[in-house]
Amino acid sequence: MDLGLAGKIAVVAASSKGLGRAVATGLAREGALVTVNGRDAASLADTAAAIRAETGSDVLEVVADMAEPDGATRLIEETVRRRGGLDALVCNAGGPPAGTFTSFPDDGPWLAALNLNLMSTLRLARAALPHLEGRGGSITNIVSISVKQPIGHLILSNTARTAVIGLAKTLATEVADRNVRVNNVCPGSTLTDRITSVAAARAEASGRSVEDILAEDARAIPMGRLGTPEEFANVVVFLASPAASYVTGVTIQVDGGAYKGLM
């Protein structure tokens, strides 16, 4: 199936590693002109070089922190300046620290979590929308299965990422008549550094090993295993592409069947 991404201009935030890197690689494989982003210049350069080597694609690098108010604007403006436009935006950010309700005071950690996940998405969308309109553009947000089924010891992420869904669903309605689509993709347990770090926190709290925690997670998934970043990326790449031209306002989980709800 031709996804129609050849020559399309795409930005993937927080894409130096993990799910973001897998999505950027997937877009480049389909012929998209991708901008990768991260806070560490050396790590970002390594990622861009690896994607170029694998796909032969022209990859831009923009060092910017999505937790900083001007980071999102710089990422979009630099891409548009160098590419001449924008067709697809993938919003992504790291996750807040693990913990329970009593772990965090009312102000600092909660505000930081909202800034990292909700406000970074809002700022990226605001900067990108003028360039996406009229091009059949797309915004695809990487969130978490926690927006449908809260994850223990991740109260900051459960709260902040769910706010992204409210923003995205409302925005999808507001910009549909401008031919811009907005969707969300929720990774379940996927083998990334983030999942390993969360497992480590749970292991420390319970006095068990990280391997035991990951094996327990795998047993809880109907497919009997954790997902791979590439499996997740395939769904994001489709939703970001012109092939998904009549799909907007949806939240799709990629979790091996772990989510038990009906909707």
Side-chain angles (χ1 to χ4, degrees), residues 25-96:
T25 303
L27 288 165
R29 286 178 185 143
E30 294 294 325
L33 303 173
V34 179
T35 298
V36 293
N37 157 253
R39 293 175 297 177
D40 181 74
S43 176
L44 190 62
D46 288 344
T47 293
I51 296 174
R52 291 187 195 105
E54 177 184 338
T55 68
S57 179
D58 177 19
V59 181
L60 296 183
E61 309 157 37
V62 177
V63 177
D65 185 350
M66 293 302 98
E68 297 294 331
D70 65 343
T73 302
R74 187 163 69 254
L75 174 57
I76 299 302
E77 289 185 350
E78 182 67 9
T79 298
V80 172
R81 183 183 71 81
R82 297 173 66 180
R83 297 288 200 198
L86 182 65
D87 298 292
L89 166 65
V90 178
C91 299
N92 185 35

Side-chain angles (χ1 to χ4, degrees), residues 137-189:
S138 67
I139 299 173
T140 311
N141 304 311
I142 297 177
V143 280
S144 167
I145 194 62
S146 67
V147 306
K148 293 194 170 189
Q149 186 168 282
I151 299 172
H153 298 279
L154 287 183
I155 192 166
L156 294 179
S157 179
N158 295 344
T159 303
R161 293 190 191 277
T162 301
V164 173
I165 303 302
L167 168 66
K169 186 67 174 178
T170 306
L171 187 60
T173 303
E174 291 185 3
V175 301
D177 63 352
R178 288 177 255 172
N179 200 22
V180 178
R181 300 177 298 106
V182 185
N183 295 296
N184 310 295
V185 189
C186 308
S189 292

Side-chain angles (χ1 to χ4, degrees), residues 99-245:
T100 63
F101 183 73
T102 57
S103 302
F104 305 107
D106 288 351
D107 45 14
W110 289 94
L111 294 177
L114 289 168
N115 182 61
L116 177 64
N117 294 126
L118 173 63
M119 295 307 297
S120 68
T121 304
L122 185 154
R123 292 173 186 132
L124 282 164
R126 191 184 299 282
L129 274 171
H131 306 289
L132 295 171
E133 293 173 1
R135 296 174 66 107
S138 67
I139 299 173
T140 311
N141 304 311
I142 297 177
V143 280
S144 167
I145 194 62
S146 67
V147 306
K148 293 194 170 189
Q149 186 168 282
I151 299 172
H153 298 279
L154 287 183
I155 192 166
L156 294 179
S157 179
N158 295 344
T159 303
R161 293 190 191 277
T162 301
V164 173
I165 303 302
L167 168 66
K169 186 67 174 178
T170 306
L171 187 60
T173 303
E174 291 185 3
V175 301
D177 63 352
R178 288 177 255 172
N179 200 22
V180 178
R181 300 177 298 106
V182 185
N183 295 296
N184 310 295
V185 189
C186 308
S189 292
T190 310
L191 283 169
T192 62
D193 291 342
R194 168 68 172 169
I195 288 296
T196 303
S197 67
V198 170
R202 289 165 54 199
E204 182 178 357
S206 62
R208 301 161 63 196
S209 71
V210 173
E211 292 73 19
D212 283 346
I213 295 294
L214 291 175
E216 180 181 75
D217 288 348
R219 288 192 296 271
I221 298 169
M223 292 189 74
R225 63 178 177 84
L226 304 185
T228 68
E230 291 74 21
E231 288 174 313
F232 174 80
N234 288 339
V235 178
V236 177
V237 170
F238 169 71
L239 285 177
S241 78
S245 57

